[in-house]
Amino acid sequence: MQNIGIAITGSGSALPTTSLHNQELTHLVETSDEWITTRTGIQQRRIASSQDSLCKLATAASQQAIAAAGITAADIDLILLATSTPDDLFGTACKVQGELGAIKAVAFDLTAACSGFVFGLVTAAQYIRTGVYQNVLLIGADILSRWVDWQDRRTCVLFGDGAGAVVLQANQSDRLLGFTLKSDGTQNHYLNLSYNGAAQQLTPEISVTQGTYQPITMNGKEVYRFAVQKVPEVIDKTLFAANLTVDQIDWLVLHQANQRILNAVAERLNIPAHKVISNVANYGNTSAASIPIALDEAVQQGKIKPNDIIAASGFGAGLTWGAAIFQWGR
């Protein structure tokens, strides 16, 4: 059987119109613009309004990516939606499929928190490499503002909302040069959006829990330590598997969690600052959406060009982390 490669042929992104600046957060919690900027690099973030939905943002980003790839929604075989915040707990990918008119596509949600886009990229690649599907739409989208405690200054300053998407297509040469995925459930307690239920007695013998989810809780110090140690390791490992050196990387596109993490990872890998894509100042941490939004923005700005080698890495709840190295375009 002939080996089938993959190419990432189009990108798109969508963000809510409402911006929440650091100064406005000082009216909600005891903090300051200087404190937030110094520790995170974040100056503002986009917040979904009551009129916005995950489906709406994901669909808009997808339409751009499909157009950029030069295909139509009817050509899509598979839709993967990486999200932790679906509009519907049963999944939102099928609704996106309906909105797009992607009549022949199978669609499902994939959850790996802030690593979701990288995990989704690798998942999509397997379907193409095995010859099952030719055109895959991968979306990373999250509306974390729904699940933030706006009185918790450790978390409410960090998160924003948005969606990013790419189209992956079967290709003669394989543009996904290497990947590594990792999980460590023993550190799960450092970052959570946990179920919070109360017991309800159905009969004298049977009780069930009914409820919702508690807001995001995070041990920032431990997550920072984890990211700064594990992300350079996983990128190094992926470079080795791809038979590449750090010098051959044109762009480093990390999950946009915190500017200090971006700087520390680049420093450990000896990647110069001008190769690091960063938009965390404008959008904050958009979870699974952060890598594809940053990627699309850099493509639109003309920074990322065809054949450029990109090292992408996501890390977050689970705890999960991973890296993928790919060449842009066909």
Side-chain angles (χ1 to χ4, degrees):
M1 179 180 159
Q2 185 191 356
N3 285 339
I4 301 166
I6 69 143
I8 302 172
T9 57
S11 64
S13 57
L15 292 140
T17 53
T18 305
S19 289
L20 180 64
H21 294 259
N22 289 346
Q23 196 55 47
E24 293 167 288
L25 282 169
T26 64
H27 305 302
L28 297 174
V29 288
E30 192 184 323
T31 189
S32 69
D33 175 44
E34 187 197 10
W35 190 92
I36 299 167
T37 306
T38 305
R39 283 162 180 76
T40 70
I42 299 165
Q43 294 168 13
Q44 58 179 315
R45 68 286 295 141
R46 299 289 182 90
I47 300 294
S49 72
S50 54
Q51 279 76 49
D52 286 317
S53 67
L54 191 88
C55 179
K56 188 176 167 185
L57 291 170
T59 301
S62 299
Q63 286 166 335
Q64 291 176 25
I66 291 164
I71 59 172
T72 69
D75 297 315
I76 301 290
D77 302 304
L78 170 67
I79 297 170
L80 293 177
L81 172 59
T83 187
S84 302
T85 56
D87 294 329
D88 176 344
L89 200 55
F90 289 150
T92 298
C94 289
K95 195 169 179 193
V96 174
Q97 182 243 15
E99 290 291 320
L100 290 171
I103 49 173
K104 72 171 183 178
V106 62
F108 62 90
D109 289 22
L110 180 153
T111 303
C114 303
S115 305
F117 182 79
V118 172
F119 278 48
L121 184 70
V122 173
T123 303
Q126 307 318 304
Y127 282 104
I128 294 172
R129 284 174 167 175
T130 53
V132 178
Y133 298 129
Q134 297 245 295
N135 302 306
V136 179
L137 172 66
L138 168 63
I139 311 156
D142 271 303
I143 300 182
L144 287 172
S145 61
R146 289 173 174 170
W147 298 104
V148 165
D149 176 357
W150 291 99
Q151 305 306 309
D152 179 2
R153 65 176 183 175
R154 294 166 302 177
T155 56
C156 76
V157 303
L158 299 175
F159 298 105
D161 305 332
V166 295
V167 169
L168 295 90
Q169 294 185 272
N171 198 55
Q172 274 193 313
S173 66
D174 199 347
R175 314 287 271 178
L176 178 60
L177 308 177
F179 67 84
T180 309
L181 303 179
K182 296 280 187 180
S183 302
D184 181 3
T186 65
Q187 298 188 70
N188 177 267
H189 55 287
Y190 290 137
L191 181 52
N192 277 300
L193 205 172
S194 300
Y195 175 71
N196 187 15
Q200 182 180 329
Q201 207 72 33
L202 297 185
T203 71
E205 294 81 26
I206 300 168
S207 73
V208 294
T209 59
Q210 299 238 275
T212 178
Y213 290 83
Q214 66 178 24
I216 295 166
T217 60
M218 184 172 79
N219 183 325
K221 192 181 284 185
E222 290 300 332
V223 172
Y224 178 88
R225 187 181 296 169
F226 145 76
V228 169
Q229 181 194 344
K230 296 296 186 184
V231 173
E233 276 179 16
V234 83
I235 291 172
D236 256 340
K237 187 172 182 178
T238 309
L239 281 167
F240 182 78
N243 199 22
L244 293 168
T245 64
V246 170
D247 298 341
Q248 290 172 281
I249 293 174
D250 293 303
W251 302 104
L252 181 65
V253 186
L254 299 178
H255 164 49
Q256 305 287 301
N258 181 315
Q259 188 62 48
R260 286 167 63 214
I261 293 176
L262 270 62
N263 295 347
V265 171
E267 203 175 297
R268 288 202 179 188
L269 288 166
N270 286 323
I271 293 175
H274 70 266
K275 289 185 173 186
V276 181
I277 301 290
S278 173
N279 62 11
V280 70
N282 296 326
Y283 306 128
N285 178 343
T286 56
S287 191
S290 81
I291 292 173
I293 290 171
L295 187 68
D296 180 55
E297 208 168 56
V299 170
Q300 300 306 324
Q301 290 166 353
K303 285 183 177 178
I304 293 176
K305 295 179 171 64
N307 299 319
D308 279 0
I309 294 176
I310 297 158
S313 181
F315 49 91
L319 295 177
T320 56
W321 67 105
I325 296 173
F326 56 89
Q327 274 185 290
W328 182 250
R330 294 181 198 279

